Amino acid sequence: GSSGINAEYGDRTSNMLNETKSEFEVTRSSYTKSLSDLQSEIDSITEQYKECKTESRRQTDLVEQLQIAASATKTLKVNLQEDLTSWKAKYEEARIECLQLYTAQTEFQHEIERLQGE
């Protein structure tokens, strides 16, 4: 009778082994799928990161261009202000010269009239 017990144990062991093997297969295929999903998620994130980096670089370039433009505008404004100040000064000089000329002409006219009156 002891050979029957051994055979029963053998069957149970064999069944347990088969169950364990099929569980392992399920686990392994699930694990493989999870790994594959994870890999495509990593790829997707990497792609997004690259796009972000490109966009960020573009934004940085834009900011630099804006700073250059702002600086150029500031310089232009300063130059225009200097020009304006210089023109105002020249205008003032010309106005004074015109006044002096007008005064001289008037005096000259009076002198002529005085001489004609004598």
Side-chain angles (χ1 to χ4, degrees):
S2 68
S3 65
I5 292 173
N6 283 344
E8 196 185 320
Y9 270 117
D11 285 350
R12 277 172 62 188
T13 307
S14 169
N15 284 345
M16 278 172 71
L17 207 67
N18 284 336
E19 278 174 30
T20 307
K21 255 167 82 177
S22 60
E23 272 178 35
F24 174 74
E25 281 306 320
V26 169
T27 307
R28 193 174 72 163
S29 74
S30 147
Y31 175 72
T32 306
K33 189 188 177 312
S34 295
L35 263 183
S36 154
D37 290 351
L38 199 61
Q39 188 55 55
S40 47
E41 219 171 298
I42 288 170
D43 291 345
S44 163
I45 290 168
T46 305
E47 199 52 45
Q48 285 172 16
Y49 172 73
K50 281 180 189 166
E51 283 170 23
C52 280
K53 236 173 117 176
T54 304
E55 184 58 25
S56 169
R57 212 173 284 132
R58 210 174 63 80
Q59 297 283 354
T60 304
D61 288 349
L62 271 178
V63 168
E64 280 174 10
Q65 286 171 14
L66 279 173
Q67 285 170 341
I68 290 168
S71 170
T73 305
K74 216 178 198 174
T75 304
L76 190 63
K77 193 179 169 191
V78 168
N79 290 346
L80 283 174
Q81 196 60 53
E82 286 172 1
D83 286 351
L84 189 60
T85 305
S86 159
W87 290 335
K88 275 182 180 169
K90 283 180 185 158
Y91 168 76
E92 197 53 36
E93 280 174 28
R95 203 178 63 83
I96 290 167
E97 279 177 26
C98 282
L99 268 176
Q100 287 170 344
L101 190 63
Y102 176 75
T103 307
Q105 270 182 331
T106 309
E107 284 172 7
F108 186 61
Q109 195 67 44
H110 288 321
E111 190 61 27
I112 288 173
E113 287 168 11
R114 193 181 64 76
L115 286 171
Q116 283 172 342
E118 277 180 5

